Amino acid sequence: MNRSQEGPFSLIITPESAGWGFSGLRVLELDGTETVATGDAETLVLPLSGSCSVSVDGETFELAGRTGVFDAVTDFAYLPRDAEAVVSGRGRFALPSAKTSKRLPARYGPASGVPTELRGAGNCSRQVNNYCLPHTFHADQLLVCEVLTPGGNWSSYPPHKHDEAREGESELEEIYYFEVAGGGMGYQRVYGTDERPIDVLEEVRSGDVVLIPHGWHGPSMAAPGYDLYYLNVMAGPGPERAWLICDDPAHAWVRQTWETQDVDPRLPFGGPR
């Protein structure tokens, strides 16, 4: 767990503080104007709540945002490395980032262009909003999505990993940033292999993060009565920007059970998409 703070940022995770090479995340608490430097990382400005304008490289993007993470998909802005962006508005904004050697142009990501999928079935039903993945938005290293899990359900399940560069799997560092509706709690499990041990079972509340350098991760457990949200930030050393996962073979059979179950009727959050 990591909850370092500095100035207007209620959360700061850098590759250096995490002890790895690429993935980072800041959460900006804004009421006015703040200058955001991207340094050597490509970065998104992704509203968690509220709206803002983002001025960078001679362009200004107006982000309509949203009232909260369970209410709607949001629009967002992509900031290149070696940039200074002026962000003006009010709200809470996630700034997921990934170190990169390439400088791509600043761009606007409309909410209408964010694919939403319902994954799993029964009490493994969840919603995935695919903001910045290889098939949804162009970036050099950064991968970003968010998962919304109705209370009582399990997501990030079956447990999976992506810590080896091999056929069918990519090497990625991952950040899970959590918010929980109604002031509740959830739980996150991470466990390793004999060769690379790790053993985590953490209670999570709004604003908490779990860092996953390696190992099987899942389930993410939403306590009954409390919907669970998490933002996934991923990046890694591979030459190809890909999110390829490997299920834990001990639990992969669970996927087959979904064929005879319905998707949770509480989905999607925020209305049909």
Side-chain angles (χ1 to χ4, degrees), residues 30-266:
L30 184 66
D31 186 3
T33 298
E34 188 68 30
T35 299
V36 173
T38 60
D40 59 1
E42 57 185 352
T43 302
L44 299 188
V45 178
L46 194 154
L48 299 170
S49 64
S51 59
C52 69
S53 66
V54 181
S55 298
V56 59
D57 289 355
E59 297 191 74
T60 297
F61 307 118
E62 299 291 340
L63 304 188
R66 54 187 170 181
T67 56
V69 295
F70 295 102
D71 297 323
V73 171
T74 184
D75 51 357
F76 62 97
Y78 172 91
L79 310 179
R81 62 162 289 163
D82 300 320
E84 284 198 349
V86 177
V87 184
S88 300
R90 176 179 295 178
R92 301 174 58 253
F93 304 92
L95 276 61
S97 61
K99 281 193 175 184
T100 178
S101 60
K102 295 182 180 179
R103 194 178 199 275
L104 302 178
R107 278 162 291 140
Y108 173 73
S112 60
V114 178
T116 293
E117 61 178 301
L118 302 185
R119 192 175 294 171
N123 64 355
C124 290
S125 301
R126 62 271 202 181
Q127 175 181 332
V128 184
N129 300 331
N130 296 306
Y131 286 98
C132 186
L133 297 180
H135 65 288
T136 67
F137 192 85
H138 181 54
D140 182 53
Q141 295 285 348
L142 184 60
L143 301 163
V144 179
C145 69
E146 57 187 14
V147 180
L148 297 90
T149 308
N153 286 8
W154 286 22
S155 59
S156 193
Y157 196 74
H160 60 280
K161 73 179 184 72
H162 40 70
D163 59 12
E164 295 181 80
R166 58 174 181 163
E167 184 176 358
E169 185 177 353
S170 51
E171 183 180 358
L172 297 169
E173 313 150 350
E174 185 163 16
I175 300 168
Y176 274 53
Y177 166 82
F178 293 91
E179 296 200 357
V180 187
M185 70 289 191
Y187 296 86
Q188 177 67 45
R189 178 75 170 120
V190 185
Y191 59 98
T193 61
D194 292 339
E195 295 78 16
R196 303 183 74 186
I198 187 172
D199 188 8
V200 176
L201 177 58
E202 285 287 347
E203 179 177 299
V204 293
R205 296 178 180 269
S206 291
D208 285 341
V209 294
V210 172
L211 307 183
I212 303 173
H214 61 266
W216 308 106
H217 39 289
S220 303
M221 295 163 269
Y226 299 105
D227 298 330
L228 179 69
Y229 163 96
Y230 50 90
L231 179 72
N232 289 146
V233 183
M234 295 169 282
E240 181 183 2
R241 178 175 171 249
W243 182 19
L244 303 176
I245 69 169
C246 174
D247 284 341
D248 183 342
H251 305 292
W253 64 269
V254 171
R255 290 187 186 275
Q256 300 172 15
T257 68
W258 300 343
E259 298 173 3
T260 58
Q261 300 180 65
D262 294 328
V263 173
D264 192 311
R266 293 174 291 177

